[in-house]
Amino acid sequence: MSTGTLTETSAFFAERAAHVDSPDGDVRPGLAFLGARDLLGLGAGSDGGPGLVAAAELIEAVAGECLSSAFALWAHRMVLEYLARGRSGALTGELAVRLRAGELTGSTAMATALRDVAGIEPVPVRAEPTATGLRLSGPIPWASNLFPGAVVVLPVRTGEGRAVVVVRVGDPGVTVAPARPLLALNGTASSSALLSDVDVPGDAVLSTDLAGFVAAFRPTFLVLQTAFCAGLAARSLDEAERGLARADAELAGDVAEHRRSAEALRARLRDLARDTRAEPVTAYIRLRLAAVRLAVAASRLESTVRGGAGYLATSGTSRRLREAAFLPIQAPTEGHLRWELRHSA
């Protein structure tokens, strides 16, 4: 990713960050900005390499200015990943083109797939065969980017099997619950949804092997989640360093220590992004956990250094502190990831 592209991207999202964080915020203009520059599908469907490294760098840059926008970008990019890895067809091909351009919004509703494959709990959406495809019923407990017309990818339970399908917000039988106020990320159209007798055609089925599908995309999924954690952490540490002249010198050691951790994490992230088949998925899980903890610690340290100025509700420091509070509960949650590591030993 060129320095010029990252600089332009950072400037755009910095200007919009306060609006996106407001009650009427909206992340879609940011996705359209990136789509116009052909940046939304970097490395989609690959097993690592320069494209995935560039995608991680892009998400880091956006997260340094606005985690809401980086999170929406991650969700959108993962839908392109699913389409690239799933069965190809006219429907999915058209959707991919429009998603890459930023004309449509992508919503990943695959959290329940991760829990099912891990053996924690089954997928809640049921699917019955029809003459032309599948009929879906059941809840999507939580998803983001649920804007009108959004392309939603989710897992479904087909008798004893599992499949991955595509639906659209606005399809008959797809009901999105009104969004409730959140501590942060209000511009991401995050809510729950209910599917009631939703008919999908056969070419909307991306895979009938849920475990294999998850295994294929999961390293990328974790790499890009780690990227937005790393981007938020780096920005918090930048702000902490700027504030040290007005703070107790004792905090300089803490900032330096966190900076070393951030640089090591960033280098490790790029190593794993270069080839997602080189190491087991537990390596990606450990990195994601480390990134979450670092982002939470860095945002708290920034708040400590900045003092009263950072305690203002409208400050960037306050926003990053609220944004970081989301990271341990984002699916897969910290508890989920720790459970997986314990059971993989």
Side-chain angles (χ1 to χ4, degrees):
M1 179 68 63
S2 72
T3 301
T5 298
L6 292 177
T7 299
E8 179 191 25
T9 298
S10 294
F12 176 87
F13 285 97
E15 184 177 351
R16 288 188 46 79
H19 167 69
V20 171
D21 189 49
S22 69
D24 60 345
D26 191 334
V27 295
R28 286 176 291 179
L31 294 174
F33 170 87
L34 296 172
R37 288 154 181 79
D38 197 24
L39 297 174
L40 289 172
L42 295 169
S46 70
D47 292 315
L52 185 56
V53 172
E57 291 175 345
L58 180 68
I59 289 176
E60 280 185 38
V62 175
E65 305 299 341
C66 175
L67 184 67
S68 295
S69 297
F71 175 66
L73 171 56
W74 163 80
H76 187 97
R77 167 59 178 74
M78 284 311 303
V79 170
L80 282 165
E81 184 77 17
Y82 306 145
L83 294 179
R85 292 186 180 276
R87 296 172 176 170
S88 61
L91 172 64
T92 55
E94 178 189 353
L95 292 177
V97 169
R98 298 183 66 189
L99 286 163
R100 284 178 179 272
E103 297 175 4
L104 296 176
T105 307
S107 173
T108 171
M110 294 292 285
T112 56
L114 301 178
R115 295 178 70 81
D116 187 301
V117 170
I120 298 173
E121 62 183 358
V123 165
V125 176
R126 303 177 309 279
E128 298 177 355
T130 66
T132 57
L134 294 173
R135 181 167 295 146
L136 317 179
S137 293
I140 297 174
W142 196 256
S144 297
N145 287 355
L146 291 172
F147 296 100
V151 179
V152 186
V153 177
L154 70 149
V156 298
R157 186 159 33 99
T158 57
E160 295 302 314
R162 303 289 188 270
V164 180
V165 303
V166 179
V167 301
R168 299 281 299 278
V169 173
D171 284 348
V174 177
T175 303
V176 176
R180 301 175 65 182
L182 305 174
L183 187 64
L185 283 77
N186 282 295
T188 60
S190 297
S191 187
S192 59
L194 182 65
L195 310 185
S196 301
D197 294 329
V198 177
D199 287 316
V200 297
D203 59 356
V205 178
L206 297 181
S207 174
T208 55
D209 176 12
L210 182 63
F213 195 75
V214 168
F217 76 69
R218 196 158 187 221
T220 293
F221 186 99
L222 293 168
V223 158
L224 299 181
Q225 284 189 333
T226 298
F228 61 65
C229 297
L232 177 63
R235 179 56 182 274
S236 284
L237 293 174
D238 288 345
E239 296 300 325
E241 286 177 348
R242 293 188 184 101
L244 281 173
R246 299 184 299 278
D248 190 318
E250 290 296 321
L251 294 173
D254 296 71
V255 174
E257 179 182 354
H258 283 69
R259 178 67 75 186
R260 288 191 292 272
S261 296
E263 290 173 352
L265 186 142
R266 190 169 183 265
R268 177 66 169 151
L269 173 60
R270 276 147 185 76
D271 285 343
L272 291 179
R274 289 188 184 101
D275 184 354
T276 57
R277 298 164 299 181
E279 298 196 37
V281 72
T282 51
Y284 295 84
I285 292 174
R286 290 190 178 93
L287 188 68
R288 162 79 153 74
L289 279 172
V292 168
R293 291 166 179 165
L294 177 63
V296 171
S299 64
R300 184 179 182 279
L301 181 58
E302 178 192 351
S303 177
T304 301
V305 171
R306 297 293 295 170
Y311 200 65
L312 293 171
T314 56
S315 70
T317 297
S318 171
R319 174 168 52 79
R320 283 183 286 277
L321 197 63
R322 289 184 284 107
E323 289 172 340
F326 166 72
L327 299 176
I329 64 170
Q330 190 211 348
T333 65
E334 181 172 351
H336 176 159
L337 294 173
R338 290 172 64 178
W339 185 93
E340 283 204 63
L341 286 177
R342 180 165 61 86
H343 285 79
S344 67

